[in-house]
Amino acid sequence: MLTVIIPVLNEVELLPRLLKQFAAKPEIPIIVVDGGSTDETVLKANQFQTKVLQSLKKGRSIQMNLGAQAATTEYLLFLHADVILPDNFFQVLEAFMNRKGAFANCAIQFDLAHWFLNFNAFFTRYQFNSFQFGDQGLIISKALFQKLGAYNEGRQLVEGQDLIRRAKKVAKFEKLPVKLIVSARKYKEHGVYYLQFCYLIVFLLYRLNFDDSRIQRIYSRLL
């Protein structure tokens, strides 16, 4: 019923950790879509029971759409490579699919103990549009995904929120009763408050309907 799609770019360190969590579920097909990694990401992915696709262009929305095109199951599960799944994740997914849910994501917690990150993560348990992003995962029926026209490939920084906003207009959105553990590596690299400031700028520019290429240029300068 389910295909897992993981977009990657130089994820040799964290991708194996996620793929190992699917070792007990060999019946679930996994598609890893590489955006041009220069490390051993593809080599590592091939050591597991995965199908590896090479995208001609990098960008999560582009890579995830490519993976979705190759999937033949009723549901699609999009995950970032740097997440850790909770122990009851598969049972929760199965219950969601058995009741024919339309689409859902998860709350998150970071792997870094910091009050501000805990504060941000707290709001991901709610359905407010402002707190829905790609690192929360996304399970969606393929029929709904196709009806929406897939991810907007013109949006590379807020592609997850963009899709959820569109999906909520035509289908019921759910929060799965689990939390994904998300890597805080970028916060460690750039600083918790500064990186959150950068994300806020990106979010505001997106809501103001700035062109994605312009948002990416501004984001790149900030970092």
Side-chain angles (χ1 to χ4, degrees):
M1 294 177 67
L2 176 74
T3 297
V4 179
I5 299 167
I6 308 171
V8 296
L9 180 66
N10 295 330
E11 291 287 1
V12 67
E13 292 184 9
L14 296 182
L15 179 62
R17 182 183 66 180
L18 175 59
L19 295 179
K20 286 176 183 177
Q21 293 192 272
F22 288 93
K25 293 287 183 178
E27 71 277 11
I28 299 178
I30 300 173
I31 300 176
V32 174
V33 189
D34 184 64
S37 295
T38 56
D39 62 8
E40 295 185 344
T41 295
V42 172
L43 178 64
K44 286 291 184 181
N46 281 323
Q47 293 175 1
F48 295 85
Q49 290 184 322
T50 65
K51 179 177 183 178
V52 179
L53 301 179
Q54 289 287 348
S55 176
L56 296 177
K57 296 180 180 180
K58 68 179 180 179
R60 280 196 299 260
S61 60
I62 296 171
Q63 293 169 233
M64 290 189 290
N65 283 347
L66 181 61
Q69 291 170 13
T72 59
T73 51
E74 182 180 355
Y75 281 92
L76 308 172
L77 173 61
F78 298 97
L79 291 173
H80 287 186
D82 62 349
V83 302
I84 299 176
L85 309 177
D87 292 339
N88 61 335
F89 186 70
F90 296 109
Q91 293 93 323
V92 170
L93 283 184
E94 185 175 0
F96 172 82
M97 292 185 291
N98 285 340
R99 67 173 181 270
K100 300 299 180 182
F103 75 116
N105 69 3
C106 307
I108 63 169
Q109 67 181 79
F110 289 96
D111 62 0
L112 175 66
H114 190 288
W115 78 269
F116 191 69
L117 294 183
N118 292 339
F119 177 76
N120 282 350
F122 173 82
F123 291 99
T124 63
R125 70 187 67 188
Y126 300 113
Q127 294 192 15
F128 304 126
N129 285 341
S130 301
F131 294 94
Q132 314 305 325
F133 295 97
D135 55 6
Q136 295 165 245
L138 178 69
I139 181 169
I140 185 169
S141 73
K142 189 170 185 182
L144 176 58
F145 185 76
Q146 292 174 329
K147 180 179 179 179
L148 295 170
Y151 282 101
N152 180 355
E153 296 187 2
R155 292 291 182 188
Q156 295 301 323
L157 293 175
V158 286
E159 74 291 333
Q161 182 169 126
D162 179 79
L163 182 70
I164 287 177
R165 282 177 177 275
R166 289 185 282 127
K168 287 173 74 173
K169 295 178 181 179
V170 297
K172 181 182 178 181
F173 179 43
E174 297 184 46
K175 279 285 177 179
L176 299 180
V178 290
K179 289 182 180 179
L180 298 183
I181 300 174
V182 176
S183 171
R185 53 184 171 166
K186 291 190 72 173
Y187 287 98
K188 294 175 184 178
E189 180 182 357
H190 299 287
V192 170
Y193 303 114
Y194 182 71
L195 184 60
Q196 194 60 46
F197 165 75
C198 296
Y199 286 157
L200 177 61
I201 294 298
V202 167
F203 173 74
L204 291 175
L205 294 176
Y206 160 68
R207 292 306 306 274
L208 290 170
N209 204 31
F210 273 56
D211 181 81
D212 191 73
S213 60
R214 188 175 179 187
I215 298 176
Q216 289 192 62
R217 288 196 301 270
I218 293 171
Y219 181 63
S220 296
R221 287 196 213 107
L222 289 171
L223 294 184

